Amino acid sequence: MQLLKDRIMKDGTVRPGNILKVDSFLNHQMDIDLFNEIGKEFYRRFADCPITKIITVEASGIGIACITAQYFHVPVIFAKKSLTLNLDGDLYTTKVDSFTHKKTYNVVLSKKFLTPEDHVLLIDDFLANGCALQGLIDIVQKAGAVLEGAGIVIEKGFQDGGRRIRDMGVRLESLCIIDTMTEDALTFR
Ligand code: 5GP
């Protein structure tokens, strides 16, 4: 998606530890005109799928998922990150290693919102090692719902997540894939 690539080149900054900072338009301050184009593009790519729910993980996936859902006219569920272990029986739960926070979270989603009748599109801002997405896939599988695919805004192609998720047979659509990233230069696939 050229608009997104141009914006990353203009406003993104690379931080030590392979972190791309896009907080001026994507995951702190949010450019809603750009989000609308992102939502439209996800809709175009998954228009052939009978999506009934969009699932993301808090916090930075929520805005993108909500705008995308306006095109699919379906509800958004965001999986909640919880550091506690006192979970009750009405939750799907899985563990996610956070790339940015170097922590392991329990990620939970209420069973009443996801059933075997659902066809799910997963949405997230970044794909790095694939842990967040794998956690969401695990929840969809536990619910017995149909995973239609995953939409990612920025895939860091030099990390392993994209290959791992595609190898699982998941239809993964990334709006841009970064091939190389240093503090002075960034290239796209
Ligand atoms: P993964 O689980 O694929 O390793 O990492 C994905 C999650 O980590 C995303 O939900 C995102 O919030 C965060 N993340 C991974 N890499 C980056 C990055 O380069 N920049 C930012 N801002 N977040 C990232």
Side-chain angles (χ1 to χ4, degrees):
M1 186 181 172
Q2 196 55 46
L3 185 69
L4 180 64
K5 290 181 184 173
D6 292 346
R7 191 60 181 274
I8 292 169
M9 293 311 275
K10 183 169 159 277
D11 291 329
T13 52
V14 179
R15 292 291 162 88
N18 276 337
I19 297 286
L20 175 65
K21 225 167 165 3
V22 285
D23 60 352
S24 66
F25 62 96
L26 193 71
N27 53 23
H28 193 12
Q29 175 169 259
M30 297 180 281
D31 179 336
I32 298 305
D33 288 336
L34 177 66
F35 275 35
N36 263 316
E37 295 307 315
I38 287 171
K40 256 187 239 171
E41 182 62 16
F42 281 138
Y43 183 68
R44 194 183 66 77
R45 293 187 187 211
F46 289 101
D48 57 321
C49 301
I51 308 294
T52 61
K53 298 270 163 74
I54 291 179
I55 298 182
T56 187
V57 60
E58 69 176 345
S60 44
I62 296 175
I64 299 153
C66 288
I67 300 263
T68 302
Q70 289 192 310
Y71 294 94
F72 287 91
H73 301 284
V74 299
V76 173
I77 316 169
F78 65 94
K80 297 191 176 201
K81 289 174 183 166
S82 145
L83 286 171
T84 65
L85 281 168
N86 60 341
L87 308 167
D88 70 40
D90 295 317
L91 299 166
Y92 296 115
T93 172
T94 193
K95 280 200 187 319
V96 170
D97 296 320
S98 164
F99 177 78
T100 37
H101 297 111
K102 311 285 178 231
K103 271 184 197 160
T104 299
Y105 292 95
N106 289 298
V107 170
V108 301
L109 189 148
S110 179
K111 286 188 177 175
K112 65 177 177 245
F113 299 129
L114 189 60
T115 71
E117 287 71 48
D118 279 315
H119 289 247
V120 176
L121 174 62
L122 303 176
I123 293 285
D124 207 1
D125 58 345
F126 273 92
L127 177 61
N129 295 323
C131 298
L133 209 47
Q134 260 185 319
L136 294 180
I137 291 168
D138 184 42
I139 285 177
V140 173
Q141 287 172 342
K142 281 177 174 156
V146 179
L147 178 61
E148 293 288 348
I152 294 291
V153 180
I154 303 172
E155 176 179 337
K156 294 195 290 183
F158 53 88
Q159 289 181 254
D160 208 25
R163 187 193 56 74
R164 280 170 49 200
I165 302 292
R166 289 184 180 96
D167 282 354
M168 292 167 74
V170 174
R171 177 171 169 185
L172 173 62
E173 295 277 352
S174 299
L175 300 189
C176 72
I177 302 180
I178 297 173
D179 251 342
T180 62
M181 193 171 95
T182 64
E183 276 167 55
D184 336 285
L186 196 149
T187 61
F188 295 100
R189 194 166 294 174

